[in-house]
Amino acid sequence: MKGITTFLWFDGQAEEAARYYASVFPNSSVGAATRYGEAGAKASGQPKGSVMTIPFTLDGKPFVALNGGPIFKFNESVSFVVNCDTQAEIDQYWDKLAAGGQEAKCGWLKDKFGLSWQIIPSALERLLGDADPKKAKAAFDAMMTMKKIVIADLQRAAG
């Protein structure tokens, strides 16, 4: 298979995460897991027979979840952006991905596995890049007060 596949490192939750993410996004699926054999289990510290990797797709894009242990954790230096055309889409993705996680400013959140997401309206780039710098600043200032972005509030602020 050619192309780039994103690997996500988990500490025992790879299969749970893959199934969860596939339930959130359309055009998504989970493949067959590869399990740790005796040698891999000894080397990794993971239980023999437990999931080592599990491939999945989110909206047609390939990912692999890896149970690599507690060595590495997710942080905000890597995030996934979900561009949304409507407030209903923003609300849907925000509610599902923020459940059990942590909300942050400007459309950012961490899900229950600690992975960072940006749930962003497609209109944001247009509003922040408005030719009128006062309108662009007003939209930016409004966004800075929000956790989940509300399109109508951005538009109202920009005039």
Side-chain angles (χ1 to χ4, degrees), residues 2-139:
K2 289 187 176 187
I4 297 173
T5 300
T6 301
F7 261 67
L8 300 174
W9 184 293
F10 294 89
D11 183 16
Q13 311 106 329
E15 184 172 21
E16 177 188 355
R19 294 192 185 289
Y20 177 72
Y21 296 139
S23 76
V24 171
F25 294 93
N27 190 28
S28 299
S29 62
V30 177
T34 300
R35 300 194 175 272
Y36 278 106
E38 193 167 322
K42 282 183 182 180
S44 69
Q46 300 297 310
K48 180 181 175 187
S50 67
V51 171
M52 179 171 64
T53 61
I54 185 162
F56 62 105
T57 61
L58 298 182
D59 200 17
K61 294 171 185 63
F63 290 81
V64 174
L66 163 73
N67 279 327
I71 301 167
F72 300 112
K73 303 288 184 203
F74 295 123
N75 66 53
E76 292 82 358
S77 68
V78 174
S79 64
F80 294 100
V81 176
V82 181
N83 290 299
C84 302
D85 291 329
T86 67
Q87 190 64 48
E89 285 180 299
I90 290 171
D91 295 346
Q92 171 191 332
Y93 289 121
W94 186 270
D95 293 346
K96 288 180 180 178
L97 292 169
Q102 180 181 2
E103 298 179 0
K105 288 173 55 169
C106 305
W108 284 68
L109 63 85
K110 280 188 176 184
D111 67 26
K112 63 185 177 180
F113 302 105
L115 190 59
S116 292
W117 297 83
Q118 298 177 58
I119 312 301
I120 304 296
S122 301
L124 185 62
E125 187 175 344
R126 178 183 54 76
L127 290 166
L128 297 181
D130 194 288
D132 181 340
K134 288 182 181 178
K135 288 182 178 183
K137 182 179 182 327

